[in-house]
């Protein structure tokens, strides 16, 4: 009986894995289709870099996970949300302008990418009543040591790619 | 009907790679000119700010601190705690130096621990005798700085009325200083009573004495009466009290040292701008010369169809103007993104005071840099364009 149950579990797991693999395959196909429709290599680069940027703060190089003594989140948690949001904006912009190639997509992507560095470093002040986009003051904390350098790197790559795309957009016009 | 600008636009679109390289060259030139000019002026403003704010003629520090270390504390604001030997203030006062004003300051570095909001330099000032910081505070503080209150530098992320915690003590922000371009931007100022309390708490938390002596004076600022030589006074202090672990620094030597570094950095920026300009002129000129030699058949045909030499020249000049304008605008956009980033890095890298220029100056610098980049593009392409305009139709068509 237990052997049958174990066999059933293995089969169930295999089916789930197949479904997961199918789902991933389908997603890859959709992204591939969308990317094929994109008329510009720099939009494709922005799409990929936007995905990476959005996944840095909570997946690839997570910000500090500890809570403050009063139970609230540290500033870097909100910075993580902000960076993820900016990454998603870059992705959305790449999708939105996939068919109609326009310089506006790149201008907005540059602004979003630049904000991911300027806001956490206090150059652009973004704050609410109980939250603030900022980094921890201790340099050994994950947000300062790991997350932010990677965010800066990807944001710079988005800016470079967007500037190149912007030049191309100016040359070709809104066609 | 195709206008001159439409023909120019089509020419730009027809050779995207060449146009891309030309726009990139002008963009880099424009951004370098913009960033370079803002850097130059900001460094110069920082030096002026330093000279104005170092109101003391002579600074007395512990002799264990080298000149470059004291310079580093004033410019980069690396939090440090250091103290003069006992009775240093009284011994200096006894000397016949022609002292007009004398005021001690206490430097205390906060911890990277939960007891402190930030790891910063805390500076305790004697509010009654102070003649430097009080002068700047006067503009933002209507009454005397009280015990339990603090004044924060411009870079500290907090506002008036909020509380900051240092060594377990919650202190109210009474004011925020204007930007100085120096370490004071990242420092916190408190009165003597508060700094004494914080020093005591610091010793209690770290379970370690701050200094062997009981002195809480880190720096003594001296202002001499008119007619007295600060350099001679500094030398006299070093001669008499040098063996007591005290050294006097002639304040102007700070400014002179800064000025020398500033001149060097300024020349380096100007030189690199000149090199970039020269390279941009050559690249744009060469690319246009190549492009024109490739398009001789096209130009010959246009001339054959009735286009005058002047029209041909105007088409090519419009092409250059469009490319240069695109590059100039993008370059200024790039410069505007880069300036805030380098602002925070310059003090650390160059160890020079840096006071970011006003927004009005930056707008003017952006316009002038853009115009300069457009003119450079036009100038570089002018010779090949004029030469092409002068060639006869037969020559153009027979060469192809």
């Amino acid at each position: 009986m237990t052997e049958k149950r174990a066999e059933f579990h293995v089969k169930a797991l295999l089916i789930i894995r197949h479904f997961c693999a199918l789902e991933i395959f389908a997603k890859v196909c959709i992204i591939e289709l969308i990317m094929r429709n994109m008329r510009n290599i720099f939009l494709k680069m922005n799409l990929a870099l936007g995905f990476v940027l959005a996944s840095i703060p909570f997946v690839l190089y997570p910000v500090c996970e500890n809570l403050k003594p009063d139970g609230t989140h540290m500033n870097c948690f909100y910075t993580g949300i902000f960076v993820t949001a900016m990454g998603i904006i870059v992705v959305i912009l790449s999708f939105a302008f996939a068919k109609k190639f326009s310089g506006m997509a790149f201008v907005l992507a540059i602004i979003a990418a630049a904000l991911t560095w300027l806001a956490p470093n206090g150059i652009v002040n973004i704050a609410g009543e109980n939250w603030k986009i900022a980094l921890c003051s201790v340099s050994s904390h994950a947000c300062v040591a790991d997350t932010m350098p990677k965010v800066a790197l990807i944001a710079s790559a988005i800016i470079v790619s967007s500037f190149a795309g912007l030049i191309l957009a100016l040359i070709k016009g809104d066609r | 009907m195709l206008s001159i600008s439409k023909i120019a636009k089509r020419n730009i679109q027809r050779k995207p790679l060449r146009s891309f390289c030309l726009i990139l060259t002008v963009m880099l030139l424009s951004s370098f000119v913009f960033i370079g000019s803002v850097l130059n002026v900001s460094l110069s403003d920082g030096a002026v700010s330093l000279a104005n704010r170092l109101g003391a003629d002579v600074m007395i520090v512990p002799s264990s601190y080298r000149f470059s270390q004291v310079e580093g504390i004033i410019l980069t604001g690396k939090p440090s705690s250091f103290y003069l030997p006992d009775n240093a203030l009284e011994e200096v006062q006894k000397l016949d130096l022609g002292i007009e004003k004398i005021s001690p300051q206490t430097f205390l570095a906060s911890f990277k621990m939960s007891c402190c909001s930030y790891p910063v330099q805390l500076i305790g000032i004697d509010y009654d005798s102070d003649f430097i910081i009080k002068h700047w505070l006067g503009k933002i503080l209507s009454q005397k700085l009280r015990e339990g209150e603090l004044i924060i530098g411009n870079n500290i992320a907090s506002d008036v009325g909020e509380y900051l915690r240092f060594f377990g003590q919650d202190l109210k922000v009474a004011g925020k200083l204007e930007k100085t371009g120096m370490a004071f931007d990242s420092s916190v100022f408190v009165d003597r009573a508060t700094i004494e309390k914080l020093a005591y708490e610091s010793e209690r938390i770290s379970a370690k004495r701050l200094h062997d002596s009981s002195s809480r004076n880190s720096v003594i600022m001296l202002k001499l009466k008119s007619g007295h030589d600060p350099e001679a006074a500094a030398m006299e202090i070093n001669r008499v009290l040098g063996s007591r672990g005290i050294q006097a620094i002639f304040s102007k030597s700070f400014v002179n040292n800064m000025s020398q570094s500033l001149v060097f950095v300024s020349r380096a920026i100007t030189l690199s701008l000149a090199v970039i300009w020269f390279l941009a002129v050559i690249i744009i000129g060469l690319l246009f010369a190549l492009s024109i030699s490739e398009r001789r058949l096209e130009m010959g045909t246009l001339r054959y169809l009735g286009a005058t030499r002047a029209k041909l020249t105007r088409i090519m000049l419009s092409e250059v103007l469009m490319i240069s304008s695109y590059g100039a605008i993008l370059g200024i956009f790039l410069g505007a993104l880069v300036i805030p980033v380098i602002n925070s890095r310059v003090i650390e890298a160059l160890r020079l005071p840096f006071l970011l220029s006003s927004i009005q100056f930056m707008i003017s610098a952006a316009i002038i840099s853009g115009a300069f980049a457009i003119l450079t593009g036009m100038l570089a392409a002018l010779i090949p364009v004029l030469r092409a305009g002068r060639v006869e139709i037969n020559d153009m068509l027979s060469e192809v």
Side-chain angles (χ1 to χ4, degrees):
Chain A
M1 193 66 181
T2 39
E3 270 178 18
K4 272 189 178 176
R5 196 174 283 173
E7 204 178 324
F8 173 75
H9 279 167
V10 170
K11 274 185 182 173
L13 271 172
L14 276 173
I15 290 165
I16 292 168
R17 269 191 198 171
H18 277 300
F19 269 113
C20 287
L22 272 174
E23 197 188 337
I24 290 166
F25 180 70
K27 277 181 184 168
V28 169
C29 286
I30 291 165
I31 291 170
E32 179 62 25
L33 269 173
I34 292 166
M35 281 183 111
R36 271 188 195 174
N37 274 328
M38 283 185 180
R39 298 169 66 178
N40 187 283
I41 177 98
F42 300 110
L43 271 181
K44 290 178 188 177
M45 277 173 72
N46 273 7
L47 177 70
L49 290 166
F51 266 123
V52 178
L53 184 67
S55 27
I56 286 176
F58 296 107
V59 183
L60 300 175
Y61 296 93
V63 290
C64 323
E65 284 165 5
N66 299 341
L67 294 174
K68 283 200 281 190
D70 61 2
T72 56
H73 287 288
M74 289 199 274
N75 284 338
C76 56
F77 172 77
Y78 303 106
T79 302
I81 294 175
F82 179 73
V83 170
T84 305
M86 291 298 118
I88 291 167
I89 286 175
V90 173
V91 171
I92 291 171
L93 283 170
S94 309
F95 280 138
F97 290 89
K99 293 238 165 171
K100 191 181 180 295
F101 179 59
S102 165
M104 190 47 72
F106 296 112
V107 173
L108 295 174
I110 290 169
I111 293 169
L115 279 175
T116 59
W117 195 90
L118 296 174
N121 285 288
I123 295 159
V124 174
N125 193 22
I126 302 174
E129 204 170 307
N130 292 315
W131 60 274
K132 187 170 189 180
I133 308 297
L135 297 172
C136 293
S137 50
V138 182
S139 57
S140 59
H141 276 198
C143 61
V144 185
D146 293 330
T147 317
M148 210 48 214
K150 307 299 182 293
V151 167
L153 191 73
I154 299 298
S156 310
I158 292 174
I159 290 173
V160 170
S161 145
S162 299
F163 262 106
L166 195 52
I167 295 176
L168 216 58
L170 286 171
I171 292 169
K172 289 185 173 177
D174 287 358
R175 290 193 301 173
Chain B
M1 191 185 153
L2 281 174
S3 63
I4 287 177
S5 62
K6 272 186 185 165
I7 296 172
K9 179 92 183 160
R10 293 252 172 107
N11 282 338
I12 291 170
Q13 287 174 346
R14 213 156 50 90
K15 291 274 180 186
L17 188 66
R18 179 179 58 88
S19 307
F20 187 92
C21 293
L22 282 167
I23 293 175
L24 193 71
T25 311
V26 181
M27 182 182 105
L28 291 176
L29 173 72
S30 157
S31 64
F32 273 112
V33 173
F34 181 37
I35 296 166
S37 55
V38 171
L39 254 180
N40 254 343
V41 173
S42 300
L43 284 168
S44 165
D45 285 354
V48 172
S49 166
L50 176 77
N52 289 342
R53 284 172 193 269
L54 275 182
D57 295 323
V58 179
M59 287 166 57
I60 298 166
V61 294
S63 56
S64 52
Y65 269 71
R66 289 196 306 271
F67 182 84
S68 60
Q69 281 177 296
V70 181
E71 192 181 68
I73 290 164
I74 287 183
L75 290 172
T76 61
K78 191 180 173 192
S80 329
S81 298
F82 56 92
Y83 300 95
L84 286 161
D86 282 333
N87 306 322
L89 182 66
E90 292 76 12
E91 285 182 37
V92 172
Q93 276 173 321
K94 277 182 205 163
L95 297 175
D96 183 24
L97 301 168
I99 298 170
E100 187 187 339
K101 289 170 184 169
I102 183 165
S103 181
Q105 288 182 358
T106 307
F107 281 44
L108 179 66
S110 65
F111 296 155
K112 286 180 183 174
M113 287 164 62
S114 59
C115 68
C116 302
S117 299
Y118 301 104
V120 290
Q121 180 74 68
L122 294 156
I123 303 177
I125 55 167
D126 183 18
Y127 207 84
D128 296 324
S129 65
D130 180 74
F131 58 94
I132 300 167
I133 293 151
K134 196 163 65 180
H135 172 67
W136 326 335
L137 300 185
K139 293 175 188 166
I140 53 161
L141 206 65
S142 53
Q143 57 193 15
K144 191 178 167 177
L145 183 64
R146 286 177 297 200
E147 191 178 343
E149 285 184 340
L150 48 83
I151 300 284
I152 54 172
N154 200 276
N155 289 350
I156 308 274
S158 194
D159 289 310
V160 176
E162 289 180 359
Y163 282 82
L164 289 179
R165 175 172 278 248
F166 290 108
F167 305 108
Q169 306 293 307
D170 289 320
L171 306 171
K172 190 181 177 188
V173 180
K176 193 167 186 171
L177 288 175
E178 284 173 11
K179 197 117 181 128
T180 64
M182 293 182 282
F184 301 125
D185 291 336
S186 311
S187 302
V188 167
F189 299 89
V190 291
D191 71 341
R192 291 290 285 186
T194 311
I195 201 83
E196 288 281 352
K197 197 172 175 182
L198 294 178
Y200 171 77
E201 289 297 325
S202 156
E203 287 180 337
R204 192 182 61 78
I205 292 168
S206 64
K208 203 170 84 181
R209 287 198 66 188
L210 283 168
H211 191 244
D212 294 337
S213 72
S214 58
S215 167
R216 287 275 188 257
N217 294 332
S218 305
V219 182
I220 297 171
M221 301 291 191
L222 285 187
K223 186 158 187 70
L224 303 179
K225 286 175 189 162
S226 150
H228 287 79
D229 180 16
E231 200 168 358
M235 282 169 72
E236 176 67 5
I237 295 167
N238 287 338
R239 188 182 65 77
V240 180
L241 300 172
S243 57
R244 288 268 293 110
I246 291 170
Q247 79 168 316
I249 296 169
F250 166 49
S251 285
K252 265 197 178 166
S253 57
F254 261 126
V255 182
N256 293 343
N257 202 28
M258 294 294 148
S259 302
Q260 282 170 6
S261 311
L262 193 69
V263 168
F264 176 76
V265 173
S266 183
R267 276 185 190 161
I269 292 170
T270 314
L271 188 71
S272 36
L273 282 181
V275 171
I276 289 161
W277 182 80
F278 185 66
L279 285 175
V281 168
I282 288 178
I283 292 168
I284 297 167
L286 272 176
L287 281 173
F288 255 92
L290 280 172
S291 150
I292 286 165
S293 67
E294 272 174 16
R295 288 155 57 189
R296 292 178 83 81
L297 176 64
E298 173 200 321
M299 286 187 285
T301 314
L302 279 171
R303 290 273 286 121
Y304 188 74
L305 290 172
T308 59
R309 282 177 182 169
K311 192 153 191 172
L312 216 61
T313 311
R314 279 210 299 275
I315 290 171
M316 283 185 283
L317 280 179
S318 318
E319 210 177 305
V320 187
L321 183 68
M322 273 185 193
I323 285 174
S324 306
S325 308
Y326 292 156
I329 293 164
L330 290 178
I332 289 160
F333 186 30
L334 178 68
L337 287 175
V338 172
I339 286 167
V341 179
I342 57 167
N343 173 23
S344 55
R345 312 275 160 164
V346 167
I347 303 171
E348 275 176 51
L350 301 178
R351 287 169 69 95
L352 283 171
F354 186 87
L355 194 58
L356 195 61
S357 313
S358 65
I359 194 80
Q360 289 91 336
F361 173 80
M362 283 208 249
I363 292 168
S364 329
I367 293 167
I368 292 167
S369 309
F372 178 73
I374 292 170
L375 275 176
T376 302
M378 300 286 285
L379 185 79
L382 197 63
I383 297 167
V385 166
L386 288 178
R387 277 178 63 189
R390 270 194 231 119
V391 182
E392 292 297 325
I393 307 171
N394 286 343
D395 294 342
M396 283 185 182
L397 295 174
S398 61
E399 276 176 31
V400 183

